[in-house]
Amino acid sequence: MSAADREAIEAFKRDVIEPSMDALVILDFWAEWCGPCKALSPVLERIAESYAGKGVKLVKVNVDEQKLIAAQFRVQSIPTVYAVFQGQLVADLTSARTESQIGQMLDQILRQLPIQGSDAALHDDIAPLIAMGEEVLDGGDAERAVGIFSQLAEMAPEDLQVAAGHARALIAAGRTDEARAVLDAVPEDKAKDAGIARARAALALAGEAGAVDDLGGLKARVSADPDDQEARYELAGGLMAAGDRDGAADVLLGSIERDREWNEGAARKRLLTLFEATGLEDPWVSAQRRRLSAVLFG
């Protein structure tokens, strides 16, 4: 083995094998003369930057300069992109060409590997503070919760649980425009996160359920005419705005029981949005789902 080959192997151990013991290393096999390689390179660099906090590292291997390494991986065409963990090839990413495609593949790989990047470590560090913010919010002190989550957002701007809690606190404080800005800043590929979806549901409810000055009048209308679905819908919105989710659920369930198809199922849609805004794992939601099932199928 030549001195150059020994040096290449040592460099590969240092740059790839050792980091891969606790990180996912993306290997990009490329060459100066390869047009597709040059097109893919900035895509991989952006992905590596955005996933660095999740424990992902990019290493480029020039096949002309590191022929031994390319031969060891049996690279027959370029660009070839592999993912390596703990010294083992765990995935072939070559077929992916866009950030979205590569990101989806990385997300799937990372879910299966015991990798804790700096983002996860930071989340663990601030988890007690997130729990405190949620407790304060559940206790009804929205402005204090906003203060807690605002500080957390400065510490961990990419943390989805912080963003979701911050948005819900702002909504509870009546600052819906600010909440919308927080949610709009969440990357599109993270929009399906359960916490973010819950916050968006809460924002939707806040937009629909404005404060009602005369809840008593609406209750009287419903009492006088139980089939007045418009009054029921407005009453449910007013009750939600007042923080009375039990009352809102009762009204909406009553509306569904009388006419589930009214206004294209508006009462059921609002009730489901209320469930999502509360949190689908919440015991209250489970109890209300059973009530809804009894109405629909009983």
Side-chain angles (χ1 to χ4, degrees):
M1 183 179 295
S2 68
D5 285 344
R6 285 196 296 272
E7 183 179 344
I9 290 175
E10 288 302 315
F12 188 79
K13 289 179 179 178
R14 181 187 65 247
D15 297 337
V16 178
I17 303 300
E18 292 176 7
S20 77
M21 291 300 106
D22 54 15
L24 185 69
V25 178
I26 300 175
L27 280 182
D28 174 25
F29 291 92
W30 71 292
E32 287 287 353
W33 46 265
C34 173
C37 298
K38 292 182 177 180
L40 182 61
S41 182
V43 176
L44 292 173
E45 289 170 1
R46 288 194 297 269
I47 279 287
E49 182 179 358
S50 63
Y51 275 76
K54 297 181 180 182
V56 174
K57 177 183 179 182
L58 174 65
V59 176
K60 301 176 70 63
V61 179
N62 188 316
V63 297
D64 291 335
E65 298 175 356
Q66 297 171 280
K67 295 180 180 179
L68 179 62
I69 301 301
Q72 290 293 317
F73 280 85
R74 299 181 180 178
V75 174
Q76 297 180 344
S77 62
I78 53 176
T80 291
V81 184
Y82 291 143
V84 175
F85 179 64
Q86 294 186 344
Q88 302 295 317
L89 193 157
V90 296
D92 184 346
L93 309 178
T94 305
S95 62
R97 284 291 183 267
T98 67
E99 288 186 54
S100 175
Q101 291 171 343
I102 299 171
Q104 289 176 4
M105 295 179 75
L106 289 178
D107 288 339
Q108 184 176 5
I109 295 167
L110 291 170
R111 282 195 292 268
Q112 302 175 48
L113 299 177
I115 295 175
Q116 184 179 54
S118 58
D119 288 352
L122 177 57
H123 179 82
D124 289 345
D125 289 341
I126 65 175
L129 297 176
I130 295 174
M132 181 176 71
E134 292 287 355
E135 184 177 350
V136 170
L137 182 57
D138 289 342
D141 193 343
E143 287 296 345
R144 184 179 169 217
V146 169
I148 293 170
F149 280 111
S150 294
Q151 293 181 51
L152 289 172
E154 293 180 4
M155 297 167 59
E158 305 298 323
D159 193 294
L160 295 179
Q161 194 171 349
V162 170
H166 191 194
R168 289 189 292 105
L170 287 165
I171 293 165
R175 296 157 63 176
T176 54
D177 287 343
E178 294 174 67
R180 185 174 292 104
V182 168
L183 294 174
D184 286 346
V186 174
E188 187 176 343
D189 61 333
K190 303 296 188 298
K192 293 183 180 180
D193 174 80
I196 297 299
R198 179 185 176 188
R200 289 196 183 281
L203 183 62
L205 284 182
E208 292 178 3
V212 175
D213 295 330
D214 187 15
L215 284 177
L218 284 171
K219 290 178 180 178
R221 281 178 58 188
V222 172
S223 179
D225 182 4
D227 290 323
D228 187 343
Q229 295 284 42
E230 189 67 40
R232 282 182 174 274
Y233 195 76
E234 290 182 24
L235 176 58
L239 291 169
M240 285 189 293
D244 184 1
R245 66 181 184 183
D246 288 328
D250 289 344
V251 171
L252 291 170
L253 285 165
S255 178
I256 295 167
E257 187 171 21
R258 288 183 175 277
D259 184 359
R260 69 184 66 178
E261 300 303 327
W262 175 79
N263 196 16
E264 299 182 346
R268 182 172 178 273
K269 291 176 183 176
R270 176 170 277 187
L271 183 60
L272 294 177
T273 304
L274 178 58
F275 290 169
E276 190 169 18
T278 301
L280 298 180
E281 303 302 320
D282 193 292
W284 182 86
V285 172
S286 297
Q288 301 307 316
R289 280 192 180 282
R290 288 192 292 272
R291 295 179 66 196
L292 176 59
S293 294
V295 169
L296 294 175
F297 308 110

